[in-house]
Amino acid sequence: MRKTRTTLSDGRALIYYDEAVAEGLVRDHTGSRGHTGSRGHTDARDHADPRGLPPIATRSERRHDRLLDEWVVIASHRQGRTHLPPADQCPLCPSAPGRPTEIPAPDYQVAVFENRFPALSGPGGGRCEVVCFSPDHEASYADLGPAQARTVLAALADRTAELAELPGVEQVYCFENRGPEIGVTLTHPHGQVYALPVLTPRTRRMVDTVSRHHRATGRNLFDEVRDEALADGRRVVVAGEHWSAFVPQAARWPYEVHLYPHRRVPDLPALTGPEQAELAVLHLDLLGRFDRLFPAPAPYISAWHQAPVRTGRELYALHLELFTTRRAADKLKYLAGTESGMGQFINDIAPERAAAALREA
């Protein structure tokens, strides 16, 4: 993968990722040389940002909920962020004459930049990045080919490794929100990477649970959950040589799939070339199944759970959790009284039934 660094006019970092020149290779460039990309032409990466934006001066705040022992981020500056602009004003499309965007180049394969409206900001407060999967505004992740999907995954792995080295970062979280029902503010195909200064409540709980289980049994709970699902078979959606996807036994969402590697690894940078290649194909397969569940494309969240930077890495297992908020063609799953008020999920669809529907999709 060819990696080219540059900066936007307000000083934020912008990184272009282009299809691998050699298998498994990441080449970091700070110069302006171009290369012949998968589109069959020379992709220059030296376009300057002409917008003259002022430097970002936002700062988020962390506040501790003492009763729950959880951190809450206050980011009031995000109230003014761009919200569902028309396609001809999308800030994630390539720049065009008279219409500069967050990406100065007239074309790109995968582009990553620091968020202009970050939920996490300020010294030691973390970092938020936007990952543009494709220059095609009308595309979705499921429309990508395996080579493009693998470039996206390589970019996520690279961002995970680099952001984990920043001072104060405890966890790197890669995710994609899709659909207005989820609350997206930009419809262009993109994801995000958060470098968090604390462990999220869910990660901390999993670390604690897996550690207790290992002390009591000597076994790894992530491995047991995966192996039990594969042995049962009824909740398996798709299985490959290196990865398997299944509906969890206690699924919270109507259609929820977890994708696990057969070899336990802590994070995306730890994957081998063959593991990454099969992951690209199976991830696209799952997203296609979600899109075929209903007449309209399903809104979803695709969330990579990676090991914390410093805590519990030896027992943690990389896995993807993919779920939709749609429970029927004309019905959404809302987090209402019990879910939002008490954190007690109630699922309307049995996991075995959901798995069967996804296998047939």
Side-chain angles (χ1 to χ4, degrees):
M1 180 178 61
R2 185 176 186 273
K3 174 182 173 183
T4 308
R5 299 175 183 268
T6 184
T7 57
L8 297 171
S9 59
D10 55 10
R12 288 177 293 135
L14 167 64
I15 308 171
Y16 295 100
Y17 292 89
D18 293 290
E19 189 175 342
V21 179
E23 186 71 20
L25 180 64
V26 177
R27 299 174 61 190
D28 196 339
H29 292 257
T30 56
S32 60
R33 289 179 295 168
H35 83 291
T36 301
S38 60
R39 296 174 177 270
H41 62 272
T42 298
D43 295 319
R45 298 296 180 236
D46 58 352
H47 294 82
D49 178 6
R51 295 174 296 172
L53 298 173
I56 300 295
T58 58
R59 180 189 294 267
S60 60
E61 179 185 357
R62 280 180 288 151
R63 296 188 181 182
H64 186 240
D65 185 324
R66 295 166 60 193
L67 290 175
L68 294 178
D69 189 21
E70 295 178 359
W71 289 95
V72 176
V73 175
I74 310 296
S76 56
H77 59 273
R78 284 169 55 81
Q79 277 287 73
R81 67 188 185 274
T82 307
H83 183 76
L84 297 177
D88 62 357
Q89 297 177 32
C90 174
L92 307 186
C93 288
S95 289
R99 190 172 67 87
T101 71
E102 290 281 66
I103 303 168
D107 197 6
Y108 63 87
Q109 292 184 15
V110 175
V112 179
F113 60 87
E114 290 182 79
N115 198 321
R116 190 178 177 188
F117 303 96
L120 306 167
S121 60
R127 176 161 159 159
C128 296
E129 296 183 344
V130 177
V131 183
C132 297
F133 302 147
S134 166
D136 184 354
H137 182 81
E138 302 300 328
S140 69
Y141 200 117
D143 297 324
L144 306 181
Q148 179 75 355
R150 190 169 180 184
T151 301
V152 172
L153 290 170
L156 295 181
D158 181 71
R159 301 316 303 145
T160 295
E162 184 168 312
L163 294 176
E165 298 295 324
L166 294 180
V169 170
E170 297 292 336
Q171 179 178 356
V172 179
Y173 173 45
C174 306
F175 64 100
E176 179 196 3
N177 300 327
R178 191 185 75 168
E181 302 89 340
I182 295 295
V184 299
T185 57
L186 296 172
T187 58
H188 193 102
H190 74 287
Q192 300 180 67
V193 183
Y194 278 18
L196 294 141
V198 296
L199 294 189
T200 63
R202 188 162 184 179
T203 298
R204 187 177 64 175
R205 188 169 184 178
M206 281 195 284
V207 167
D208 291 344
T209 302
V210 170
S211 296
R212 287 198 306 271
H213 186 79
H214 187 263
R215 287 195 300 269
T217 68
R219 299 190 299 271
N220 186 279
L221 188 54
F222 285 111
D223 293 347
E224 287 187 12
V225 167
R226 178 200 60 211
D227 294 345
E228 287 169 3
L230 296 182
D232 177 272
R234 293 176 300 163
R235 292 182 285 109
V236 175
V237 177
V238 62
E241 179 182 355
H242 302 289
W243 295 81
S244 289
F246 56 89
V247 178
Q249 182 182 18
R252 287 168 166 78
W253 299 93
Y255 294 95
E256 176 181 348
V257 174
H258 293 188
L259 180 60
Y260 272 65
H262 296 166
R263 180 180 69 94
R264 177 162 41 92
V265 296
D267 50 27
L268 288 167
L271 295 175
T272 64
E275 288 168 338
Q276 192 182 80
E278 184 177 271
L279 169 59
V281 173
L282 291 189
H283 192 189
L284 292 172
D285 177 273
L286 289 175
L287 294 177
R289 292 174 189 272
F290 270 62
D291 277 352
R292 293 190 294 272
L293 278 173
F294 309 109
Y300 65 74
I301 293 176
S302 181
W304 279 108
H305 290 257
Q306 305 192 88
V309 173
R310 278 172 280 275
T311 307
R313 289 184 63 81
E314 67 281 358
L315 296 177
Y316 206 89
L318 167 74
H319 62 285
L320 177 75
E321 296 187 7
L322 172 66
F323 60 88
T324 178
T325 56
R326 191 172 297 285
R327 59 189 176 92
D330 58 346
K331 296 182 177 69
L332 293 175
K333 167 66 176 177
Y334 291 103
L335 298 188
T338 55
E339 290 90 352
S340 292
M342 296 300 290
Q344 174 63 64
F345 273 74
I346 299 175
N347 194 347
D348 301 314
I349 299 178
E352 293 77 12
R353 178 184 161 197
L358 284 163
R359 284 196 299 268
E360 295 168 3

